[in-house]
Structures are given as C-alpha cells and as structure tokens.
Amino acid sequence: MTNASSLERRLRADMTGDVLFDRFSRGRYATDASFYQIVPSGVVVPKTMDEALRALAIARDEGVKVTPRGGGTSQCGQTVNDGLVVDLSKHLNRILSLDVEGRTCVVEPGIVLDDLNRQLKKHGLWFPVDVSTASRATIGGMAGNNSCGGRSLRYGTMRDNTLSLEASLADGTLSRFGEVSRDLSDLDAGGSVRALFRDMLDLGSREADEIAARFPKVQRRVGGYNLDALIPRNARNNMAHLLVGSEGTLAFTTKVELKLWPVIRNKALGICHFGSFYEAMDAAQHLVKLKPIAVELVDRTMIALGRDIAMFKPIINAVIKGDPDAVLVVEFAEEDQADNLLRLKQLGELMGDLGFGWNNDPRKWGGVVEITEPALQSGIADFRAAGLNVMMSMKQEGKPVSFVEDCAVPLPHLADYTARLNEVFARHGTSGTMYAHASEGCLHVRPVLNLKLEKDVKAMRAIAEEAFALVREYKGSHSGEHGDGLVRSEFHETMFGERLVADFREVKHRFDPDCVLNPGKIVDAPRMDDRSLFRFKPDYRVADLKTKLDWSAYPGAGGGFQGAVEMCNNNGACRKLEGGVMCPSYRATRNEKDVTRGRANTLRLAISGQLGPDALSSDEMMETLKLCVSCKACRHECPTGVDMAKMKIEMLAARTASHGLTLRDRLVGYLPRYAGLASRFAPLANLRNRSPLLRKLFERFAGISARRALPAFRSDVFVAPADSVGPEAGREVVLFADTFNRIYERENLEAALRVLAAGGYRVHMPKPPSGNRPLCCGRTFLSAGLVDEARSELDRLVAAFAPFATRGMPIIGLEPSCLLTLRDELASLRKDDDAKAVGAHALTFEEFLVREAEAGRLQLPLGTVAEKALVHGHCHQKSFGAFKPVEQVLRLVPGLEVKTIESSCCGMAGAFGYGADTYDASIEMAELSLLPAVRRADQSTLVVADGTSCRHQIHDGAQREALHVARVLAMSLDSAETNSTPIAKEPSYG
C-alpha cells in the first residue's frame, strides 16, 4: 500500500492523462479476454508518449512492474498483472508518417487496426494482418502477440509485416530495432544498445543448430521468443522481429513501422460443405493448392449458435445448404475477378475429384455454394470474425475455454489431430468447439468447461498436457496465433526443450534484468491452473439477490442475473469505433469505464462482493453506468448477448430501493402521470423554457441542463376522434398512442391514422381499462428504476390491448422505444398468455406497412414530396431489426432518394440528453456522425427520424426539423391528391 500510494502521488503530479487507482477502475483492468483476473496496483492512460515513458520511469523507481495494454483482448492473460497498467489505446493512436509509394507507415502502438485501415483505404492500401478483433485490437498489442489473422496464408504474420520498432528498454534507454548487419557496422546506437544487439546475435549463432532442431516448422509458431530471427541466415538480421511476439516483456514499444499492401478489390467465396468434420479437415490440404488467400472452418456448433443470434441468422440461412457437419470458407482475391471465378469453378471440380457430392452418403456428402455478392461476403466475414464470441454465447455455466485454442499442426496431420483431440475431450467428459484457420492447420479449439468447479480445472490441466503432447508428436506449435501469456508459457520446456527455455530466460534477463516489464509471461511463468489467478477464484461467490426482471434464461443467483452478467467474456466487440451502434458512450469518451465490457466487469465484481458491500447500488456503480444511454445496441451487436440496458434497469432499481429518487428521476419517471395536468396549464408548464432564471434553478435542483429547452407541453394533445376510424370493412389494426407523440407531437398520430385509413385499414384505439389516464408502456418508469410502476402501466396496457391481440390484430406504434418495450421488457415482467400475445403482435408503423406491401395488401396513392430524404435510425429500431422497414417504406414514395446516416445513438436517448451532468456526452455522441451529416444536407432534403428524442437532438444540434415517417407518407398522400409538391408543416418545438 505504501508503494501504491507513493506511485499514485508521483503519477498524479507528473501526468495530464488519467491516473486511476480507485477500486472500481482497477477492477475494470483486472481482466482481458482470457479466464484470468489479476488486479493491478493502478492504471495510467497517458496523453503523450513522453507521459507513458515517464510513467515507466516512475514505476521502475518505485519498484513496480509495468504492463502495456491496448484493446485488452488477449486470449492468454498477456495484459493482466499486479503492477501498473499503461493503457495506450485512448490517446496514442496516430499514424505518424505514411509513404504511399513505398507502401510503409509508422504508427503509435495504440492505433486500432480497423481505424488504421480506414485511413489507409483512401490511398488504396491496407495492413493485412486481419485479426478477428480488428475493430478493437491495437497494432502494439498485435506486435506484442505476433498476431496472424485469417489471411496469413498469403500475407504472413505480424512479424512478416513489421519493418522496425522504436522502443524503450526497462532502464529507459530508447532505441530503434530494425534491420542491421551482423557485424553491426551500420548500427547508429549507443554502447549499451550495441552491446545488447551483439549479445543477441551471438546467442543466435551459438544456438542456431538447437533452434533449427527444436523450433516447429509451421508458419504459425508464435510461442517463446523469436530466436530464429537471430541466427546467421544471411548478412542481415531484423532485431524488431525479436520484439515481435515478446508480449511486452522485453521493451516498451513507442512506434511501429509497418509494411503495407494494396487493398483487395475483388473477391469470390466458395462455401465448401461437408457431412463429416474429419473429411473437411482432410480436404484442407488439397484446397490450398488452388492458392486461396484463406480457408476458414465453421463447424456444426458455430452454425447452430449463429442461427440463434439475430444479426447472423440471415447470413447462415443464405449461405448454408442442408445440415453440414462443417463448412470451409475458401476465399479467392486475385486482381482480376475472372481469375477468381475460374478458381471457384476449379474448387467445385476439386471437391468432385475428392469424391464429394450433394447426393452422397454423409461421409462424402457435400459441395460448393458460390458467393460473389459483396454484401453477403461481408456478412460471412463478420460472422467468421465473431467466431470466438459466437462460441461464448452459450447460456450455461460451462463455456468454451481458451487454453489449447490455437495449436497449429502441419496440414497433412490436421484431420488426425482434430479426431484425436476430440477423443481427449471425450475422455475428460466434455466436447469442444472448433473454427478458424484450416488453411494453416491452426484451429481455434475450445473444450466446454466450468472453471468455477475444481474438477473441471483439473480436466483442463489434463487436456492441456495431452493436447500439447499430440502437437509435439505432429511437430506442430502449441502457440499458433494467440501467444503464450499465462496459459502456455509454463509448457515451453516440453515444447522447446530445456536448453532453449534457458535461452529465453537469458534474453529476458539481458533486456530486463530487474523484471520490470510484464513479468510472468514467456519465462518464469506461474502454473496455468493456479486458481488464485482466475476470474472465478476458489472463493468466488454471488450471494442471492432479489431482481425485478426475468433472467431465467441464464444460470446463477438473482434468478439468472449472475449468469447474464457473466456472459461478457471481455473480447471487446463493444469497443468498435464505427459500424453499427454499440457502444455510443465509448465512442465519445474512449474510456474503459464507459464501454459495455467495462460495465459488465464492474457489475460482476460488484455482485460477487469484490467491490465492497452494497456496491451494486453505490455512487461508483451509478457513475459506471451514468453514460449508458440504454440504446440496446449491445443486446443486438454483442455476439454473447450482453444486454446492458436491461442490466441498468436492475442497477437503478437497486439504487432506488436504497437511496430513493432524485427530483429529476421523479420528473422523468412520472411524466405519463402528470402530463395531462401539465397540458391543461401548458403556458405555465412551459415557463421554464422562456426564463433563464428558471432554467438555472432547474439545473441546480433537478439536474436538468439549462442549455436545453424541454419539449413543450401543448393544450391540444392528441385525443382519439373515435374508438375506431377507417373503413368499417377494412382489415383491423390497433394504434398505440404513446405518451410522447400524444402530448408533444399529435401530428404524427394524426398522420398515421390518415395513412392507415387511406390504406383501407380499420384502426382501433382501445380505451384504458379504468379511469381516464391514457395508456402508457412504462418506459419512463423503467429509466428511473421504478420497475413496479412500469409493471403497473404495462398491466393496464395489456388489459386494453390483449382482447385485440388474441384476435390476431397488429398493434402498431410510432415511437420505437415505446412500441418495442412490448417486445422486450414486457416479456421480462409478465409471462402470461395475454402479455405474450401483445408482444407477438406489436409492430412498428413501418414494419406493419412493409409486411402488408410484401403480402400485396397495401394500396396507398402516393405522390412526390421531395427529391431526397436523409434518415437517422432509432437505436431500438436497429437493435430489433426494425430499421430496414423504415428505408423500405420511404422508398415507396415516388422519386424519393433515400440515404441513411451511418450513425450510432443520437445522444439524446430519452432524458439522457437533458441531464446537466450528461449534456456534454450527449452532444459528443451526436457530433460523431449524425449532426455533421444533417448539417451537410441541403434545405430541400427531408430529414427523417422516428424517435422523439432523435428529432429533438437534430433540432437542438443542427437547427433542422426532422419528420416521422408517418408525416412523410401523409405529405405524399396530399401530393397525390393535389398533384403538386406540398410544403412540409414542421413540428413545433419549445
């Protein structure tokens, strides 16, 4: 504690970046994507490389070890230790130089691979070590790991594409590690670095025969130190290649020089189906003869799991034929697409020559499904990249565990190796999942185990020893892609022999004599099954807790809440910076605290007592989830299905129970209850917007930002003109008049009624079962943790809607967050048949119209309204696959060009954007892509957004009025009637 306190004081005095020593922050950095957990003494997030090096110097002076960290996605525990963690991913992520003609660049180690490639793409270049975690893996981490990626068959490994590194030794000496002559005559470095290089090259000469005899002859050998980079093959050696794969144990990288390649312009995929897994593995050695750039395995288990994941189900259904035991995705990417198509044809012929056919018996059943459509190819690539997380999506105590995951064997032995490995698993009472790089004989193999159980930990140990023995028998490598870390370092002596392990130790001690840099990896490692280092330690317990929502799909305490939280495997898909929605707060802040993974880790530590008593309802937990906008993107985009929006409701409920409600919670939560009264006194209720003094008072006492105008109440709220409207003989539907459109923007409901009636539908508007208070979904109560109040509102709604739903009538809603509550939270609060019927028949306005159009029942006389429409999708629409219908419906309008903004959350997110403490984050989220896109649009372009919050954010941030789709269609009906283009009537904002 004395060292930690001194270290913290000195770091705070010398750093402008974040210095994190609180228990919650250290807990968030205690895990990576492995099954280990080691709490660091502190974390620093430097703003400059000079700060990072000063942190290293301070830690060294304090006798504290240092572990550099990028995306924290390591599979083997490389990025966890009990010293100081230096997070390079937030700030140290620039391209420092780019030579387009020479196809090289120099980058900081914290740059994410996808971000690098986005910047290179405009120059026609890319960095092709395309790891599955490309959306969050940093170049520094990839260099530390010697990453490979799916296309290493053509492009090689990280080592093959690293030209040089600049790094600091543990003693603070800075040097460039690159190509040098063996006599070091061209080395421009001081005496200590020259002596170090001389010693390393001498070691290579001394041990050349042993290295040749003991190093595996497979490309995917990333275990130990790369001593083969030191042997006298020719007159020059690249010293950077010794650091690549060293897992931060030899030097602290400051710059990486990379070799770049031309982007792939054309691709063709052949999905080779096999009725027998063994036959698929045996075929791989023959398929590579056609010179594909990748051959990737997808096994039966992964196919089945993919079908259960909403974002992947359409892809699986489109590319998988029949019921294969395995498929091999063979990728061709020659410059000329005609060449790719020729190879596809040859692939089909080769499969036939190998005896496979669609009509054969299971052992030789199979064939090729050809995929040339780019969008479908991208979908397959996304599914393959998500393989790890897909495998981890099992909702059970046992999970596929990474420890023999990426062993590599020569291709001719792959079928026998996998068959014998399955026999090993069976002997220990389990089975395994397999996927990934069949082209290189490197499969990601994970036996299903529950590491909370001692017997399964013992089984893991036995499986590891037996599997590594098989690998040695086939002269393969026990580390084929994901490195050594805490999982495999212990086994180097059996893999490489005592002499080479002594050499590894000599290298480590020569570079880092005081073991400052990430000790315990590669050399002098603990036992891989030391449970004191596990995420689930022997004393790991979650006391039973009372939860408000249904978590019964998962195991564990809290009715399954524990199991739901533990679904997060730390692989970090939530850290992606573009594409999809997840995670908008992380995209704005780049803080581990504000990403789904960080929140899930904090929840797990809290409910298991590792953050002290009452941690679930603590101020620190509230701070952890404060910037979660409940966009539900993680529910859809996290392949393991971590639903942080739902988990936040549980946390808020626990906090409300122990701390009570704030004034802001009451104002937001109880809005549906007082909205009627406020509308009767609208001028008085809206006085706050017009008075700077009242704005300041609201900010001080209610926490509502003075910089926002609240939605204006109006006296002419929507009131149903009748119980039913539209043709009496029309198809019957129900319209859900939600609170927001009813009290703020009645025009949307009126437009929807008009469109539905014009389409020939009989629209029912059910009355509340008792009293005059309108129906509500309870959304605002859920946002304040008032689950019982929300349940009460939903009980009223179900009582009113169920008689219609049980007759098969669609329930149509305009506000996505309200309508989709009936498909989501309602099922977590009620399991009865009436609730199920309401949820099953709930459709967004656009979902209903698209369904009717596809059935040939929609007849709307539509006219021209504008040339272009710019559309922003509500987060909940995207989470529930309900956004595509928005685009489809708008394209029904004649002559309307529809363009979708590639945006994450708008940042308003209900009441989030109105908070005094969340206003800035709200604007940052909007400024990522939404507001700039709206500002660029010309004034004649319609801006379309279905979400009430989204429309207000667009108005506040870009001074443009956005329309609900129902309004656009009503305008189109007007245009058809008058045969002229109408002027849009804009909604009123306060």
Side-chain angles (χ1 to χ4, degrees):
M1 291 300 295
T2 302
N3 277 348
S5 299
S6 174
L7 177 66
E8 181 181 0
R9 285 196 301 270
R10 292 182 63 183
L11 288 170
R12 290 193 184 283
D14 207 17
M15 298 285 128
T16 61
D18 297 329
V19 177
L20 308 171
F21 275 73
D22 63 283
R23 182 162 47 180
F24 278 66
S25 293
R26 290 187 296 120
R28 283 187 278 270
Y29 281 87
T31 49
D32 53 14
S34 70
F35 54 82
Y36 295 105
Q37 176 178 299
I38 305 176
V39 179
S41 58
V43 179
V44 64
V45 187
K47 283 190 174 180
T48 67
M49 191 57 72
D50 283 344
E51 280 195 353
L53 294 176
R54 290 204 300 275
L56 173 62
I58 291 170
R60 181 179 63 246
D61 191 48
E62 292 287 335
V64 175
K65 63 192 73 168
V66 174
T67 297
R69 179 168 164 134
T73 61
S74 299
Q75 301 292 314
C76 305
Q78 288 95 326
T79 59
V80 293
N81 226 319
D82 59 3
L84 180 69
V85 170
V86 181
D87 183 349
L88 304 170
S89 65
K90 182 175 180 178
H91 299 295
L92 302 177
N93 48 30
R94 298 173 298 161
I95 296 178
L96 299 174
S97 65
L98 172 62
D99 179 356
V100 174
E101 186 175 342
R103 296 180 183 171
T104 65
C105 69
V106 177
V107 302
E108 290 180 313
I111 191 168
V112 170
L113 175 59
D114 271 357
D115 192 32
L116 170 63
N117 278 331
R118 275 189 288 269
Q119 297 179 63
L120 293 176
K121 187 175 181 180
K122 60 188 176 185
H123 302 289
L125 299 172
W126 77 312
F127 186 66
V129 185
D130 55 336
V131 294
S132 63
T133 52
S135 64
R136 58 270 194 202
T138 63
I139 292 297
M142 291 170 62
N145 233 29
N146 193 10
S147 296
C148 301
R151 298 182 173 97
S152 61
L153 190 64
R154 171 162 298 182
Y155 297 108
T157 66
M158 191 74 191
R159 169 180 168 175
D160 299 315
N161 291 279
T162 300
L163 300 175
S164 70
L165 292 167
E166 291 189 25
S168 169
L169 299 179
D171 65 4
T173 303
L174 283 168
S175 182
R176 179 180 183 275
F177 291 76
E179 196 172 87
V180 295
S181 61
R182 288 197 66 81
D183 63 6
L184 301 180
S185 58
D186 55 353
L187 178 63
D188 181 17
S192 63
V193 173
R194 179 176 292 273
L196 174 66
F197 281 19
R198 180 73 275 150
D199 288 348
M200 292 299 99
L201 292 173
D202 287 347
L203 185 150
S205 297
R206 183 187 80 214
E207 301 295 344
D209 291 341
E210 185 73 4
I211 292 168
R214 297 302 299 260
F215 268 40
K217 307 299 189 295
V218 291
Q219 183 186 48
R220 284 175 172 266
R221 181 208 56 75
V222 301
Y225 292 127
N226 291 326
L227 302 185
D228 56 332
L230 303 174
I231 62 176
R233 284 200 185 103
N234 47 48
R236 302 183 68 77
N237 291 77
N238 193 325
M239 301 304 291
H241 293 174
L242 179 60
L243 295 188
V244 172
S246 63
E247 302 185 356
T249 63
L250 299 183
F252 190 98
T253 301
T254 60
K255 296 179 184 178
V256 188
E257 183 185 12
L258 303 171
K259 175 183 178 182
L260 306 177
W261 295 71
V263 295
I264 295 175
R265 302 191 183 278
N266 294 300
K267 286 193 295 186
L269 302 184
I271 314 298
C272 297
H273 290 54
F274 298 89
S276 160
F277 184 89
Y278 182 93
E279 292 291 341
M281 297 299 92
D282 190 55
Q285 61 185 306
H286 305 291
L287 303 185
V288 297
K289 295 174 183 176
L290 293 177
K291 300 191 182 306
I293 67 168
V295 180
E296 297 285 285
L297 166 69
V298 179
D299 77 349
R300 174 183 293 278
T301 301
M302 186 171 168
I303 292 170
L305 290 171
R307 284 197 170 109
D308 288 336
I309 298 172
M311 66 187 298
F312 295 131
K313 183 176 180 179
I315 301 297
I316 299 297
N317 291 341
V319 304
I320 299 299
K321 181 175 179 178
D323 184 30
D325 205 32
V327 299
L328 293 177
V329 181
V330 183
E331 182 176 10
F332 300 105
E334 303 305 314
E335 186 70 21
D336 186 350
Q337 183 68 346
D339 194 1
N340 294 324
L341 297 178
L342 174 61
R343 295 186 192 212
L344 263 188
K345 181 181 177 183
Q346 292 171 340
L347 180 64
E349 293 169 350
L350 177 57
M351 286 286 286
D353 292 342
L354 294 173
F356 296 101
W358 295 116
N359 297 318
N360 292 357
D361 59 49
R363 191 178 72 83
K364 284 293 184 178
W365 175 87
V368 181
V369 173
E370 298 182 357
I371 306 295
T372 56
E373 180 189 349
L376 197 50
Q377 291 176 351
S378 296
I380 295 167
D382 290 343
F383 179 59
R384 285 164 47 200
L388 166 63
N389 281 340
V390 171
M391 293 300 190
M392 295 298 287
S393 65
M394 297 178 178
K395 297 177 181 179
Q396 60 187 45
E397 289 277 12
K399 295 286 194 298
V401 180
S402 171
F403 60 100
V404 292
E405 185 189 23
D406 58 326
C407 300
V409 298
L411 270 183
H413 301 304
L414 184 59
D416 287 337
Y417 166 69
T418 53
R420 292 176 65 185
L421 195 58
N422 278 322
E423 291 172 2
V424 171
F425 297 161
R427 279 200 301 275
H428 294 283
T430 187
S431 60
T433 62
M434 299 188 185
Y435 71 101
H437 317 303
S439 58
E440 297 277 20
C442 178
L443 299 184
H444 295 329
V445 179
R446 290 188 166 212
V448 177
L449 298 166
N450 179 6
L451 295 189
K452 296 173 186 174
L453 304 177
E454 180 64 25
K455 70 178 184 65
D456 280 21
V457 174
K458 290 180 178 178
M460 178 178 72
R461 176 83 196 188
I463 290 170
E465 292 174 351
E466 293 177 43
F468 295 156
L470 285 177
V471 171
R472 292 193 300 275
E473 179 183 336
Y474 290 120
K475 302 191 184 305
S477 170
H478 68 336
S479 292
E481 179 170 25
H482 293 153
D484 299 326
L486 296 168
V487 170
R488 280 186 283 270
S489 296
E490 175 196 352
F491 297 98
H492 283 338
E493 191 162 314
T494 55
M495 184 75 223
F496 295 102
E498 184 177 340
R499 180 171 169 178
L500 285 182
V501 169
D503 292 334
F504 293 162
R505 191 171 290 111
E506 179 182 338
V507 170
K508 167 66 175 174
H509 291 167
R510 184 64 180 83
F511 270 83
D512 181 21
D514 296 324
C515 286
V516 171
L517 297 174
N518 205 21
K521 321 294 162 55
I522 300 182
V523 300
D524 300 322
R527 284 177 61 91
M528 59 90 73
D529 54 337
D530 180 350
R531 292 189 69 189
S532 70
L533 305 178
F534 282 20
R535 191 180 305 180
F536 303 123
K537 303 182 192 309
D539 60 350
Y540 181 87
R541 298 288 186 276
V542 175
D544 201 24
L545 60 158
K546 188 174 182 180
T547 51
K548 294 285 190 177
L549 303 177
D550 176 38
W551 301 94
S552 59
Y554 302 91
F561 182 63
Q562 173 190 353
V565 170
E566 290 172 358
M567 286 297 293
C568 178
N569 67 4
N570 281 270
N571 199 253
C574 42
R575 287 172 62 98
K576 64 183 178 183
L577 300 175
E578 286 194 14
V581 177
M582 180 176 71
C583 174
S585 52
Y586 175 73
R587 295 183 185 192
T589 71
R590 304 287 182 93
N591 291 329
E592 184 70 17
K593 173 177 71 69
D594 300 319
V595 71
T596 305
R597 177 179 75 177
R599 294 172 182 133
N601 267 322
T602 309
L603 283 169
R604 177 179 55 79
L605 293 167
I607 63 176
S608 58
Q610 298 179 67
L611 297 176
D614 302 318
L616 184 61
S617 60
S618 66
D619 290 345
E620 293 91 342
M621 183 61 74
M622 187 67 201
E623 185 67 21
T624 298
L625 275 86
K626 183 174 76 174
L627 298 190
C628 172
V629 293
S630 298
C631 65
K632 302 191 182 185
C634 49
R635 172 196 170 278
H636 176 66
E637 296 175 31
C638 171
T640 63
V642 172
D643 189 344
M644 190 51 60
K646 188 176 175 183
M647 293 175 188
K648 184 176 181 178
I649 293 172
E650 287 290 1
M651 185 279 294
L652 290 172
R655 183 170 176 83
T656 298
S658 61
H659 289 72
L661 290 171
T662 65
L663 177 57
R664 188 169 91 183
D665 290 336
R666 293 183 184 278
L667 289 172
V668 172
Y670 283 91
L671 172 65
R673 302 274 175 90
Y674 67 77
L677 180 63
S679 69
R680 290 167 58 187
F681 300 96
L684 183 62
N686 294 330
L687 185 60
R688 177 262 178 199
N689 283 352
R690 300 191 296 274
S691 167
L693 175 60
L694 285 178
R695 284 192 180 215
K696 290 180 180 177
L697 289 174
F698 262 69
E699 179 164 304
R700 180 175 179 182
F701 294 107
I704 295 174
S705 175
R707 291 177 282 180
R708 289 276 195 196
L710 291 170
F713 288 103
R714 50 197 294 177
S715 56
D716 60 334
V717 299
F718 175 82
V719 178
D723 291 348
S724 303
V725 300
E728 289 191 13
R731 288 175 58 83
E732 294 181 292
V733 301
V734 176
L735 181 64
F736 173 26
D738 64 90
T739 299
F740 303 107
N741 282 300
R742 184 173 51 76
I743 66 175
Y744 297 130
E745 295 181 68
R746 62 175 291 171
E747 294 84 2
N748 295 331
L749 288 164
E750 291 167 346
L753 277 176
R754 174 144 183 254
V755 170
L756 291 170
Y761 300 97
R762 182 70 172 172
V763 185
H764 299 286
M765 282 161 285
K767 293 181 177 179
S770 61
N772 295 321
R773 185 162 51 82
L775 298 173
C776 171
C777 69
R779 174 94 257 144
T780 59
F781 289 113
L782 291 171
S783 71
L786 297 167
V787 179
D788 292 336
E789 297 290 347
R791 182 183 284 107
S792 175
E793 293 297 328
L794 283 166
D795 286 345
R796 296 176 68 244
L797 184 147
V798 169
F801 283 0
F804 298 91
T806 54
R807 289 164 53 195
M809 287 189 210
I811 298 169
I812 302 168
L814 301 188
E815 174 59 37
S817 62
C818 294
L819 184 282
L820 293 169
T821 298
L822 309 185
R823 299 217 305 244
D824 189 10
E825 287 88 356
L826 175 57
S828 291
L829 292 170
R830 289 182 52 164
K831 292 294 186 184
D832 57 284
D833 290 341
D834 282 351
K836 290 177 182 177
V838 169
H841 289 85
L843 294 169
T844 66
F845 180 67
E846 297 85 3
E847 284 180 314
F848 171 73
L849 293 180
V850 166
R851 190 178 78 173
E852 294 297 287
E854 290 176 346
R857 293 191 293 262
L858 184 65
Q859 302 296 325
L860 284 175
L862 300 176
T864 302
V865 295
E867 291 183 358
K868 297 178 181 179
L870 189 63
V871 188
H872 166 69
H874 190 286
C875 295
H876 293 187
Q877 287 175 322
K878 295 172 183 175
S879 176
F880 286 85
F883 177 63
K884 186 177 179 182
V886 175
E887 300 171 314
Q888 292 172 292
V889 165
L890 287 172
R891 291 191 176 106
L892 296 176
V893 178
L896 186 64
E897 178 187 335
V898 180
K899 182 179 180 181
T900 296
I901 303 170
E902 291 299 325
S903 55
S904 181
C905 179
C906 73
M908 185 64 88
F912 179 86
Y914 295 101
D917 57 345
T918 53
Y919 172 84
D920 289 332
S922 167
I923 295 299
E924 286 176 22
M925 293 179 200
E927 291 289 358
L928 289 173
S929 58
L930 172 60
L931 293 182
V934 173
R935 293 188 194 108
R936 288 193 298 267
D938 59 61
Q939 291 297 314
S940 64
T941 297
L942 295 179
V943 180
V944 181
D946 276 355
T948 301
S949 297
C950 308
R951 293 192 294 274
H952 280 265
Q953 182 76 301
I954 290 168
H955 173 269
D956 291 355
Q959 292 73 55
R960 290 289 298 270
E961 310 301 343
L963 299 171
H964 192 285
V965 170
R967 295 279 305 281
V968 177
L969 292 184
M971 290 161 53
S972 186
L973 288 173
D974 288 340
S975 175
E977 287 180 3
T978 62
N979 199 28
S980 62
T981 302
I983 298 174
K985 288 197 266 181
E986 304 294 4
S988 174
Y989 295 89

